[in-house]
Amino acid sequence: MSSMNWSGVFPAATTQFNPDLTIDIDASQQVLDALIRDGVHGLVVLGTCGENNSLEPDEKRTLLKAAVEVVAGRVPIIVGVSELTTTRAAAFAKDAETLGANALMALPAMVYVPTEAELEAHFRTVAQASGLPIMLYNNPPAYRAAITLGVLTRLADEPTIVAVKESAPDTRRFTDLARAFGERFILMAGLDDVALEGLLLGARGWISGLTSAFPQESVALVAAVDRGDLEEARRIYRWFMPLLHLDAEHDLVQSIKLAETIMGRGTEHVRLPRLPLAGTRRAQVVAMVEEAAATRPVLASAAAA
């Protein structure tokens, strides 16, 4: 666990598909490699943007193996653990360790809405299935299960549960978590359009969706916060905000993939039940991305060069 660096920008990378919707391993590796070359500090694979729940079990393992191969230790890889049952989640956690992941992002079991005791049991079982450090993913609007302070208190005795990805839209959670647990859990900002607020309130890093389309600006935003240049951070954030709002919408995966495509970084192919954006919504997102691309801020690193 000591080799895992939780600071900086970790894009929630997309899974790339061929036109027939089989996984395009080469394209998926190219997306990851390009993000690393643009300066991100780590990668999340098989998260929501990676369409985890649209993949077959063997596909998840194949994709993780390919990610480990192309990343080649340059940055940490966090892999999503998102399954219908706790048994499947624990099995994947164990396999992820064998395949070379650096950490796990554990979600509640899908579909079923658990009690707090059931949620605790799920996370505890996943934690005990491997030796990898675990980030719990709190996103009540999406998964209908809140990782409450009570659940975290009871899980604090699990040594591998080390971080919380906080994606609740209420930024008071960062302060409540810091007050309740001090340094026990590393906090990561997980919702793009409150990311700056999270970073200012104690998040060590940002698990980001729109970084997949605009990685350099994302890295510059966090760098500005780290050096205390809040004017620069606000300037980038305000430019970025129309796109960051997309991360909070139900069609975030299609929007992010469309943004990637416009920026020359991937394709729009998504698996059912998702469909690529169409009609008015597609035109709206295209216009937003094109506006952002046309007004990209001059970054401090570029100006210095």
Side-chain angles (χ1 to χ4, degrees):
M1 286 189 290
S2 60
S3 62
M4 180 65 202
N5 178 10
W6 292 94
S7 62
V9 181
F10 286 66
T14 56
T15 298
Q16 295 296 307
F17 298 111
N18 294 301
D20 66 359
L21 300 186
T22 57
I23 293 179
D24 188 334
I25 292 294
D26 289 343
S28 296
Q29 288 183 320
Q30 288 168 18
V31 162
L32 299 178
D33 183 62
L35 288 167
I36 295 171
R37 288 188 281 106
D38 276 317
V40 304
H41 305 92
L43 294 162
V44 174
V45 300
L46 295 174
T48 302
C49 291
E51 297 177 69
N52 185 308
N53 296 117
S54 297
L55 303 181
E56 299 298 325
D58 62 322
E59 291 179 321
K60 297 181 187 186
R61 289 156 173 83
T62 298
L63 191 65
L64 176 56
K65 183 178 179 181
V68 170
E69 177 185 86
V70 72
V71 171
R74 289 176 289 170
V75 298
I77 295 174
I78 304 173
V79 62
V81 181
S82 178
E83 302 291 341
L84 286 169
T85 70
T86 301
T87 300
R88 292 181 188 176
F92 183 75
K94 182 177 180 181
D95 288 349
E97 182 174 28
T98 301
L99 291 170
N102 300 104
L104 307 175
M105 179 177 74
L107 281 69
M110 294 293 99
V111 181
Y112 178 69
V113 180
T115 65
E116 289 200 356
E118 290 168 332
L119 188 60
E120 176 193 347
H122 174 77
F123 286 139
R124 196 178 293 280
T125 302
V126 173
Q128 294 174 358
S130 83
L132 292 177
I134 294 176
M135 174 176 65
L136 303 183
Y137 184 2
N138 185 52
N139 189 340
Y143 302 116
R144 299 177 297 160
I147 304 175
T148 64
L149 298 184
V151 170
L152 286 171
T153 297
R154 292 188 292 277
L155 289 172
D157 63 346
E158 288 291 345
T160 58
I161 297 178
V162 301
V164 175
K165 176 187 175 184
E166 188 50 62
S167 293
D170 186 346
T171 56
R172 292 176 294 183
R173 273 275 297 190
F174 289 98
T175 301
D176 289 341
L177 289 169
R179 280 181 56 84
F181 301 107
E183 300 297 318
R184 170 61 185 86
F185 297 110
I186 297 163
L187 303 182
M188 302 290 283
L191 185 61
D192 281 1
D193 59 0
V194 287
L196 178 56
E197 292 87 336
L199 291 165
L200 294 176
L201 292 170
R204 191 180 298 181
W206 176 20
I207 311 293
S208 170
L210 272 300
T211 292
S212 288
F214 291 94
Q216 295 176 12
E217 289 80 2
S218 301
V219 170
L221 173 60
V222 174
V225 173
D226 288 346
R227 66 175 182 270
D229 188 349
L230 298 188
E231 182 177 351
E232 173 73 356
R234 283 192 295 266
R235 185 176 70 90
I236 298 170
Y237 197 47
R238 288 170 181 171
W239 160 82
F240 216 168
M241 186 54 71
L243 292 180
L244 298 182
H245 284 318
L246 296 174
D247 189 56
E249 300 291 341
H250 75 281
D251 56 5
L252 76 157
V253 175
Q254 297 96 310
S255 296
I256 289 168
K257 281 194 159 182
L258 176 54
E260 279 187 297
T261 303
I262 294 169
M263 299 308 296
R265 308 184 72 92
T267 71
E268 291 184 67
H269 303 310
V270 289
R271 275 193 179 170
L272 292 166
R274 293 182 177 91
L275 290 170
L277 297 185
T280 301
R281 178 57 170 166
R282 188 179 191 280
Q284 179 187 39
V285 174
V286 168
M288 293 167 65
V289 177
E290 290 180 344
E291 170 68 14
T295 59
R296 297 176 83 165
V298 176
L299 304 177
S301 57

